[in-house]
Amino acid sequence: LALSYVFIVNLITFIILGFYLRYSSLGQENNEKYHVNPWWAAIFLSQAAFTNAGFVIYAPGLPIFANSYLVLILLSTVSLLGYTLYPVAIKIIVFLLYHTFKWIAIKFKKYPRLKAPHKKFKNHFYLPFSYLVTHP
């Protein structure tokens, strides 16, 4: 679940940034000026935003995108969805998956749900934010 979350967020960011940097006039201008491949820049920026690293592939930094609200909103959202709001995002995903597929477990009774997994597997849930994940 965690790896798929990281992969999906980075993939969506990469696709949006890649198309923007490839086909927008601002992206084309900056790519030619600084000799940067737009798709490599999209991978780099999406991963740097997700890990909240602060690295930029362009020489002047992010001020070249000061008038591009799509890039600024996308990178700030991805930096929040990265390691900052990761426990909250996982809690929401687990909650939605549980309530979406709850009727399957009830109908077929193939997947019995533990009432309190944090009590049964105490050594697996030792972090404070694991309480969020184990209590849908």
Side-chain angles (χ1 to χ4, degrees):
L1 185 66
L3 286 177
S4 61
Y5 170 76
V6 171
F7 180 74
I8 289 171
V9 169
N10 279 322
L11 181 68
I12 291 171
T13 309
F14 161 69
I15 291 171
I16 294 171
L17 273 177
F19 279 108
Y20 179 80
L21 294 175
R22 176 70 178 98
Y23 296 110
S24 72
S25 61
L26 180 65
Q28 289 176 353
E29 175 187 330
N30 288 324
N31 293 332
E32 291 173 4
K33 186 176 181 181
Y34 300 109
H35 306 290
V36 176
N37 185 336
W39 298 105
W40 284 110
I43 289 173
F44 189 87
L45 286 173
S46 66
Q47 188 59 35
F50 186 82
T51 58
N52 212 1
F55 299 132
V56 186
I57 202 165
Y58 297 102
L62 282 181
I64 59 175
F65 296 112
N67 294 326
S68 174
Y69 296 114
L70 175 74
V71 173
L72 296 177
I73 290 172
L74 184 66
L75 291 181
S76 62
T77 304
V78 169
S79 66
L80 283 176
L81 285 176
Y83 297 123
T84 308
L85 291 177
Y86 174 75
V88 176
I90 291 295
K91 170 67 177 171
I92 291 170
I93 291 170
V94 168
F95 177 80
L96 291 175
L97 286 174
Y98 172 72
H99 287 290
T100 302
F101 298 110
K102 184 177 176 181
W103 62 274
I104 295 174
I106 292 171
K107 185 175 179 183
F108 297 108
K109 296 186 182 183
K110 290 182 180 178
Y111 310 106
R113 180 174 173 256
L114 294 174
K115 294 292 181 190
H118 64 284
K119 292 180 182 175
K120 184 151 178 85
F121 303 106
K122 287 183 180 179
N123 57 342
H124 296 291
F125 300 104
Y126 59 93
L127 296 174
F129 69 85
S130 65
Y131 183 81
L132 295 172
V133 177
T134 60
H135 288 79

